[in-house]
Amino acid sequence: MAVPTKKSSTPPGVAIWVSVTLLWGTVFYWTSIFMLQLASFRLGEGPFNPSKNEQWQVYGIQFVVLILFGLVAMMVKNLFEPGGKKQIERWQNISEGKGEKLFISFAGSLATSFFFTTLTALTFLATSGFVGLAVRFTIPVVLLAALFNIAAGIAASLIVGLIFLIAKVGRKKS
């Protein structure tokens, strides 16, 4: 006897991968700048205080980097998990109320906030000559800033969780 299957879902396409990468990459770009400033100050490594104009110039480059990163991440994900079965199953679990309740993708938020701090620091280092900005980061500054930025990751996870609660996403169907 055949077991009825749920409507088959498809894994996210290029537009979703790029837009989600741009969303979180942009959020964590700005929080990373603040955390890099804070870590530089706390460790006495010299000021990191780019002007708003310099921040926007570097963001323009970061924007392109984020698009490329989203595309590469999608290709790697599809290489290791063709068809995105685990991701589709996770979405179905969330829509049926079996997913996280308050902190949405908690571990992913922590890793993402840490990674994007490093990416932001590398983008500033790589573009400093082009933008005309003197940037020097030590590994301890970047690591401390990335640890500080985990707070932003927790906040992002909590905000998305609250949005899901308010929008009643993931409530068990009666």
Side-chain angles (χ1 to χ4, degrees), residues 78-129:
N78 288 337
L79 181 67
F80 286 107
E81 189 191 346
K85 288 180 183 179
K86 288 181 184 177
Q87 193 169 26
I88 292 168
E89 183 179 302
R90 183 172 184 274
W91 287 349
Q92 288 172 339
N93 286 339
I94 289 172
S95 70
E96 293 171 2
K98 298 177 189 171
E100 298 103 333
K101 301 297 179 218
L102 190 56
F103 289 102
I104 302 302
S105 190
F106 185 71
S109 296
L110 299 181
T112 301
S113 59
F114 195 92
F115 169 78
F116 279 120
T117 303
T118 306
L119 183 64
T120 299
L122 290 173
T123 304
F124 267 95
L125 286 169
T127 62
S128 61

Side-chain angles (χ1 to χ4, degrees), residues 27-42:
V27 167
F28 288 125
Y29 172 79
W30 296 107
T31 61
S32 294
I33 290 172
F34 177 75
M35 299 307 177
L36 285 163
Q37 291 171 330
L38 182 61
S40 294
F41 174 75
R42 296 269 303 187

Side-chain angles (χ1 to χ4, degrees), residues 46-97:
F48 172 65
N49 197 19
S51 70
K52 289 295 179 194
N53 186 45
E54 291 164 333
Q55 290 175 20
W56 281 105
Q57 287 176 327
V58 174
Y59 178 73
I61 296 163
Q62 180 94 340
F63 187 85
V64 174
V65 170
L66 291 171
I67 291 171
L68 294 174
F69 179 78
L71 293 172
V72 169
M74 181 186 77
M75 288 188 289
V76 169
K77 173 84 168 159
N78 288 337
L79 181 67
F80 286 107
E81 189 191 346
K85 288 180 183 179
K86 288 181 184 177
Q87 193 169 26
I88 292 168
E89 183 179 302
R90 183 172 184 274
W91 287 349
Q92 288 172 339
N93 286 339
I94 289 172
S95 70
E96 293 171 2

Side-chain angles (χ1 to χ4, degrees), residues 99-166:
E100 298 103 333
K101 301 297 179 218
L102 190 56
F103 289 102
I104 302 302
S105 190
F106 185 71
S109 296
L110 299 181
T112 301
S113 59
F114 195 92
F115 169 78
F116 279 120
T117 303
T118 306
L119 183 64
T120 299
L122 290 173
T123 304
F124 267 95
L125 286 169
T127 62
S128 61
F130 175 72
V131 176
L133 177 64
V135 176
R136 189 182 133 276
F137 293 121
T138 61
I139 291 174
V141 166
V142 175
L143 290 176
L144 183 59
L147 287 173
F148 286 162
N149 210 28
I150 287 176
I154 292 169
S157 179
L158 182 59
I159 289 168
V160 171
L162 289 172
I163 291 169
F164 276 30
L165 282 174
I166 292 167

